Amino acid sequence: QVQLVESGGALVQEGGSLRLSCTASGLRFENFAMGWFRQTPGKEREGIAFITWSGDRTDYADSVKGRFTISRDNRKNQVYLKMNRLEPEDTAMYYCAAHAEYDIMLLGAHLVGYWGQGTQVTVSS
């Protein structure tokens, strides 16, 4: 059974930083592309950061480019999202995602194979 468990969400002030973590089990982690998505009430789930199985390629949504960094540690079955210069607009539930095909994951949340339960990030102004 595949499980993705996020942690690290918190309430933080505007301009602050957070690091989210996601621990995977039940899959061969090094064979999966990983991603971070976020969602606010009434809106679609948005992909914001992606990383290939080897970590040799990453992609970011324009809204987070230059502020957020995705990374992974295949020895620990973990993927991370370092978030700097946080803005109130970053307030959302953040989800970890896994998919066997990197390019498929880039196409949208509706194609993602596996999801975590989410961790809440709230940025106060």
Side-chain angles (χ1 to χ4, degrees), residues 4-70:
L4 303 175
V5 180
E6 302 97 333
S7 61
L11 170 64
V12 63
Q13 285 193 327
E14 184 175 6
S17 298
L18 280 176
R19 190 179 85 150
L20 305 183
S21 299
C22 171
T23 302
S25 60
L27 52 75
R28 187 161 290 186
F29 184 73
E30 64 270 22
N31 288 352
F32 280 76
M34 301 298 295
W36 287 95
F37 290 69
R38 67 186 183 187
Q39 189 171 25
T40 54
K43 293 191 175 181
E44 290 188 357
R45 195 167 293 188
E46 169 196 25
I48 58 170
F50 309 90
I51 188 166
T52 55
W53 66 270
S54 65
D56 64 344
R57 175 182 169 182
T58 57
D59 287 280
Y60 298 91
D62 288 343
S63 57
V64 306
K65 199 172 293 183
R67 299 187 299 122
F68 291 10
T69 303
I70 188 171

Side-chain angles (χ1 to χ4, degrees), residues 1-4 26-27 32 96-100 105 111-116:
Q1 180 181 355
V2 175
Q3 280 195 311
L4 303 175
L27 52 75
F32 280 76
C96 175
H99 196 83
M105 179 178 285
L111 295 172
V112 168
Y114 301 104
W115 293 103

Side-chain angles (χ1 to χ4, degrees), residues 72-114:
R72 65 189 294 161
D73 186 338
N74 286 348
R75 297 167 300 173
K76 296 182 178 180
N77 284 13
Q78 290 184 326
V79 62
Y80 311 101
L81 185 68
K82 182 64 188 301
M83 305 185 292
N84 294 325
R85 305 199 310 275
L86 282 161
E87 305 167 354
E89 294 74 21
D90 295 317
T91 295
M93 185 71 77
Y94 283 70
Y95 296 92
C96 175
H99 196 83
E101 298 290 337
Y102 184 78
D103 291 340
I104 297 296
M105 179 178 285
L106 294 180
L107 294 177
H110 60 290
L111 295 172
V112 168
Y114 301 104

